[in-house]
Amino acid sequence: MKLDWSIVWQSRWLLFEGALVTILLTALTMVIAVPGGIVLALMRNSRLKPIALFATGFVELFRNLPLLLLVYWAFYVMPVLTGFGLPPFTTGLVALCLNVSAYNSETFRSGINSIRKGQSEAGLALGMSRSEVFRQIVLPQAWRRVLPILASTWVSLFKDTSLVSVIAVGELAHTAMQIRSQSFRVLEMLTAMAAIYWVLGYPQAKIVDWIHRKYGVRE
């Protein structure tokens, strides 16, 4: 077997653009899914049963569906049912946000529920409203507790963005596969793709380790 690694260098700008799309997808998903997770967590803890049931159903649906199936469903089934289709990038973003928001909901709900009720009761006794108690007492402490988990979610999401390549979103995996199919350099492109994911993912994993050490709550 004769290997030709020059294809990697020749395709460097395409791979760079694909990596940028991967990072953009990851960042946009977390920007949307973090507040989405907080809202869903509050809805699940709501005293109004219809709201709590709706949020529970939403979380259980999108948390337990395989992400790949969700991507396919959003791209192929939704346009048939609604008559309204979205571009591949937007479709992939929506699927990722639904999945990650469901997971973030459980992360935030655990963090919120871990705060002792006595602190909320003390805030209410001092004349604070429930919303003020949540914003100023509960959420800052819960945020610190869930930050290491959110950081781990980021790293997992960075890798999971490769699944949107099945609907032709031009992120790193799709770009590498396109170059592979055009050049027939299978081993070289798969190796290059793995190397790029590792080079980008390893520093993120180390940052997560640091966040766990710095912000992990031990009681």
Side-chain angles (χ1 to χ4, degrees):
M1 178 186 295
K2 183 179 180 181
L3 300 178
D4 181 11
W5 296 102
S6 65
I7 185 63
V8 178
W9 178 252
Q10 293 168 11
S11 308
R12 63 191 182 280
W13 292 116
L14 290 174
L15 294 171
F16 177 74
E17 291 173 6
L20 288 181
V21 174
T22 293
I23 295 170
L24 179 61
L25 262 177
T26 305
L28 287 177
T29 299
M30 287 302 283
V31 165
I32 296 170
V34 166
I38 295 174
V39 170
L40 285 168
L42 293 176
M43 291 173 67
R44 290 201 71 177
N45 286 339
S46 173
R47 296 178 180 179
L48 299 176
K49 209 162 200 178
I51 293 177
L53 287 174
F54 171 80
T56 299
F58 181 97
V59 170
E60 294 303 329
L61 174 63
F62 291 109
R63 187 176 61 159
N64 292 294
L65 278 178
L67 181 54
L68 182 61
L69 176 62
L70 185 58
V71 170
Y72 274 126
W73 193 89
F75 190 72
Y76 292 108
V77 179
M78 277 298 292
V80 175
L81 294 179
T82 64
F84 179 70
L86 295 172
F89 181 90
T90 307
T91 302
L93 178 62
V94 169
L96 289 169
C97 287
L98 291 173
N99 179 264
V100 179
S101 292
Y103 276 100
N104 284 351
S105 167
E106 293 303 279
T107 298
F108 277 107
R109 193 163 70 98
S110 298
I112 291 169
N113 291 341
S114 71
I115 307 302
R116 294 184 179 90
K117 290 185 178 180
Q119 297 190 42
S120 298
E121 292 169 354
L124 294 172
L126 291 172
M128 299 174 70
S129 66
R130 291 190 177 276
S131 61
E132 288 174 332
V133 168
F134 178 76
R135 292 197 311 271
Q136 298 179 31
I137 297 177
V138 176
L139 187 57
Q141 295 183 75
W143 178 262
R144 180 186 176 92
R145 295 185 179 213
V146 305
L147 185 57
I149 302 173
L150 291 177
S152 296
T153 300
W154 170 284
V155 174
S156 297
L157 172 62
F158 174 76
K159 295 178 290 185
D160 288 343
T161 55
S162 61
L163 294 175
V164 302
S165 63
V166 299
I167 57 173
V169 177
E171 44 70 67
L172 178 58
H174 180 263
T175 300
M177 291 302 168
Q178 286 290 98
I179 298 170
R180 181 207 63 177
S181 64
Q182 294 168 6
S183 64
F184 302 104
R185 309 311 305 184
V186 178
L187 190 149
E188 293 91 331
M189 290 314 304
L190 291 180
T191 303
M193 180 172 64
I196 294 170
Y197 270 113
W198 188 89
V199 167
L200 294 175
Y202 182 75
Q204 298 178 49
K206 293 294 102 181
I207 292 172
V208 169
D209 291 342
W210 175 79
I211 291 174
H212 272 280
R213 290 194 301 270
K214 184 173 179 62
Y215 295 102
V217 177
R218 298 173 180 86
E219 293 185 348

